[in-house]
Amino acid sequence: MSKSTVLSINALLNKALMTIKLAATDRIDNDIKEENGTQENRLTVKQKVLSYNPLTTCQPHTLHYAMKGVGYLPTPLLESLVGYLKGPTSKQYLHADAHLRLILAVNSKLKTPLELTPMHELRERFAADAVAMQAPYVWQQTSDNVIGNMKRFTKKNQKLVHWEDKVIANADDGDMTIRCYQSDASSHGLGFKKADTHNSDETVLLFSWGWICIGDVNTHHEFCHTVCEQTGWPIVSVDYRLAPEHPAPAALKDCITAYAWLAEHCHTLGALPSRIVLAGDSAGGGLSTLIAQQLTAPSQVAWSDLGSTGQKMFDLLERLPKPLAQMPLYPVTDIETDYPSWELYGEGLLLDHADVAVFDAACLDNSPLPRQHILNCPMLGE
């Protein structure tokens, strides 16, 4: 398969922008030559500070700027574009404004059925576009350099976030990446005072992102960065193994293993083992609920269905502290029942009924557990 077939939307946007010479160019911070070409004028300190562009340019995030920029168009024009693309109307989605409905309309035009796309290609495209939709500033690490931080501070007591990737063992003793976020609350706008990373709540959040088959710690980076920034809590995002190569309950076992690591090492993040919050979105929300259920009341009968490896996991669960709380976001809790929402919202949104079926099959078809099992379906648990 040629490389051109896996181009992300962001890559296509950048190709278009380069064609019309509107793409971001390299930072211009060299000395400016005078007309005679011999004498050079130095940029002032102010000019250098204002032109400083740390780590990223807008080009890797063209999709972010495109989606934000479209939102500034007048509503009548947005409605006209939605109509032209035969997108959803305001009567179909009462709480979706024209901007969101235009995004849905564009998605429906560009989308290809997931069953026709090889999983590795889908992962590549999704990863590229998910990062491209994120704000560039969340990818800028805090710096020890005053000039490096100057443009990032906008007000007193603003929290900056830094993160670090660590490699730990997964449930089957392979390598697994976790990304640890911590906020730096500096009381000086220019960063002259040393950052304070004290976690006053002594709370840490373990995040299991959704999708199960695609995604990684990068695709959900902005969300974790934002939660850390707004709460001051450290966040640990788990890069669990993906289906179909690793069907259920591999992701659940990996996330429990990450919880065990966090319970042992949370003191390095200023948190207590008794103050771990579980969170996740979509399928990750279902994972966080399964984890909470098994940490609160582990089922030896359920884990025995996995043989000796299941018994090992049950023994681990019995030793672990219970979570403080859980925060599942639109979680998958019931994988069998056809609720009315399947009929109402099965088509036309970013993830439709057919897409869910593809991920469902990848996750569960080769699972050593039956579909209706307490370790697969949160609704069956306590």
Side-chain angles (χ1 to χ4, degrees):
M1 186 172 291
S2 66
K3 185 69 176 177
S4 62
T5 61
V6 296
L7 283 176
S8 68
I9 298 174
N10 192 66
L12 292 173
L13 278 172
N14 278 317
K15 279 180 172 290
L17 291 174
M18 290 296 291
T19 300
I20 59 176
K21 298 182 179 181
L22 290 178
T25 57
D26 292 336
R27 173 166 50 103
I28 302 174
D29 58 358
N30 295 327
D31 296 334
I32 303 174
K33 292 185 177 181
E34 290 187 335
E35 291 182 2
N36 58 20
T38 58
Q39 186 69 28
E40 294 182 346
N41 289 334
R42 298 285 182 180
L43 292 177
T44 67
V45 172
K46 179 179 179 181
Q47 287 173 319
K48 287 186 176 181
V49 168
L50 292 178
S51 66
Y52 185 72
N53 189 11
L55 295 181
T56 59
T57 66
C58 70
Q59 190 167 338
H61 300 273
T62 305
L63 193 53
H64 165 81
Y65 289 110
M67 294 175 69
K68 294 290 186 183
V70 167
Y72 289 105
L73 295 175
T75 298
L77 179 56
L78 289 173
E79 293 287 7
S80 297
L81 290 171
V82 173
Y84 176 77
L85 294 173
K86 296 180 173 59
T89 67
S90 58
K91 291 183 178 179
Q92 289 174 289
Y93 299 109
L94 298 177
H95 302 291
D97 61 15
H99 183 200
L100 177 56
R101 287 186 283 108
L102 178 59
I103 291 173
L104 294 175
V106 171
N107 175 74
S108 67
K109 293 296 182 182
L110 297 176
K111 188 175 181 180
T112 56
L114 294 191
E115 65 268 19
L116 301 181
T117 308
M119 192 61 72
H120 72 277
E121 180 181 330
L122 183 62
R123 286 173 184 161
E124 184 178 343
R125 290 208 320 243
F126 176 73
D129 288 335
V131 172
M133 286 189 287
Q134 298 173 23
Y137 89 91
V138 304
W139 288 96
Q140 298 170 8
Q141 284 275 28
T142 54
S143 172
D144 293 332
N145 182 283
V146 172
I147 298 298
N149 280 335
M150 191 175 293
K151 287 189 72 177
R152 304 193 59 218
F153 283 100
T154 59
K155 59 184 178 181
K156 188 176 180 179
N157 296 324
Q158 180 184 8
K159 292 185 177 70
L160 296 181
V161 175
H162 67 88
W163 66 94
E164 178 184 3
D165 287 352
K166 299 179 183 292
V167 177
I168 66 173
N170 64 27
D172 293 319
D173 297 323
D175 287 344
M176 175 172 65
T177 300
I178 58 172
R179 180 166 294 173
C180 302
Y181 300 79
Q182 283 185 281
S183 67
D184 292 337
S186 175
S187 61
H188 197 292
L190 292 181
F192 292 109
K193 185 175 180 179
K194 187 177 179 181
D196 174 19
T197 57
H198 178 63
N199 178 8
S200 58
D201 287 336
E202 297 182 306
T203 300
V204 60
L205 187 144
L206 184 72
F207 184 75
S208 308
W209 35 268
W211 296 96
I212 296 292
C213 299
I214 59 177
D216 53 35
V217 290
N218 291 328
T219 59
H220 289 69
H221 177 77
E222 183 173 34
F223 175 82
C224 293
H225 186 286
T226 301
V227 173
C228 181
E229 180 183 26
Q230 294 187 4
T231 64
W233 295 351
I235 312 293
V236 175
S237 179
V238 186
D239 203 11
Y240 57 79
R241 289 171 293 173
L242 300 175
E245 297 91 335
H246 304 282
L252 173 62
K253 294 193 300 179
D254 284 351
C255 290
I256 292 173
T257 304
Y259 185 97
W261 179 92
L262 183 56
E264 181 180 353
H265 296 88
C266 60
H267 65 278
T268 64
L269 302 173
L272 298 175
S274 60
R275 297 189 63 81
I276 301 176
V277 175
L278 298 168
D281 68 301
S282 190
L287 275 177
S288 70
T289 303
L290 289 170
I291 299 166
Q293 288 172 338
Q294 291 304 309
L295 285 167
T296 303
S299 171
Q300 186 171 18
V301 174
W303 288 105
S304 66
D305 292 338
L306 294 173
S308 59
T309 59
Q311 183 62 46
K312 179 182 175 182
M313 187 61 63
F314 173 78
D315 294 340
L316 174 63
L317 286 164
E318 285 204 304
R319 299 193 303 267
L320 293 175
K322 293 177 173 56
L324 173 68
Q326 61 171 322
M327 188 182 70
L329 310 172
Y330 47 94
V332 176
T333 57
D334 192 343
I335 59 177
E336 292 291 5
T337 306
D338 283 333
Y339 292 98
S341 58
W342 280 117
E343 183 69 25
L344 288 171
Y345 306 115
E347 296 181 0
L349 299 179
L350 300 180
L351 189 69
D352 58 31
H353 203 300
D355 298 334
V356 173
V358 171
F359 292 133
D360 180 88
C363 185
L364 297 173
D365 278 2
N366 294 316
S367 172
L369 300 174
R371 291 176 59 87
Q372 287 293 86
H373 193 278
I374 193 173
L375 300 182
N376 283 336
C377 183
M379 194 66 78
L380 300 177
E382 190 59 53

